[in-house]
Amino acid sequence: MILSMMISGPRQPGNDIDVYLSPLIEDLRKLWDEGVLVFDGFRKETFEIRAMLFCTINDFLAYGNLSSYSVKGHHAYPICEDTSYIQLRHGRKTMYTRHRRFLQPHHPYRRLKKAFNGS
């Protein structure tokens, strides 16, 4: 098992993450395509091992760097096709709206029409 870990900091690679990940990707390709001979100390014999990347765990910003997707701006969420947003006047922040549509039909928040903008 290979455990590769990257913790970002003030000098994180950002969009140049492929430079840091290319050796890991090359090793994974070799492990999957060709396999590697390893020695089993218990059985005193060599065998071919193959491996693959099963999953990654990362935050949303790292997801953006790894997938080369912009996670900033009005359409920052790639899984939402019809993202609705409002630009706040004084704070210059983006506020995402229309989340009430995902609630159950009789959810109590559906009755709070004054707390929402109607959509």
Side-chain angles (χ1 to χ4, degrees):
M1 178 189 286
I2 298 173
L3 177 63
S4 176
M5 190 166 143
M6 188 178 319
I7 301 173
S8 59
R11 296 180 52 101
Q12 67 177 345
N15 292 335
D16 297 328
I17 192 125
D18 56 339
V19 173
Y20 292 91
L21 291 180
S22 62
L24 175 65
I25 292 169
E26 288 173 17
D27 289 346
L28 286 171
R29 260 200 196 125
K30 183 176 181 179
L31 280 167
W32 180 253
D33 294 337
E34 303 168 22
V36 175
L37 284 176
V38 294
F39 181 74
D40 184 354
F42 182 74
R43 293 186 177 170
K44 308 282 192 240
E45 61 185 27
T46 59
F47 66 96
E48 184 179 290
I49 190 169
R50 292 178 181 260
M52 64 183 265
L53 179 65
F54 178 66
C55 68
T56 63
I57 300 171
N58 44 281
D59 63 1
F60 196 65
L61 295 175
Y63 165 73
N65 280 341
L66 289 172
S67 63
S68 300
Y69 189 86
S70 174
V71 293
K72 298 174 183 171
H74 298 303
H75 299 286
Y77 296 100
I79 57 173
C80 299
E81 294 174 6
D82 57 344
T83 304
S84 177
Y85 62 88
I86 296 173
Q87 189 76 29
L88 298 178
R89 275 184 234 140
H90 301 294
R92 290 194 229 143
K93 301 267 183 185
T94 302
M95 183 178 81
Y96 296 97
T97 58
R98 297 187 61 213
H99 295 297
R100 265 192 333 168
R101 61 188 164 152
F102 300 113
L103 296 174
Q104 304 265 334
H106 299 292
H107 195 280
Y109 282 177
R110 287 197 177 269
R111 291 191 297 266
L112 301 174
K113 294 187 182 198
K114 289 184 180 178
F116 298 96
N117 68 354
S119 62

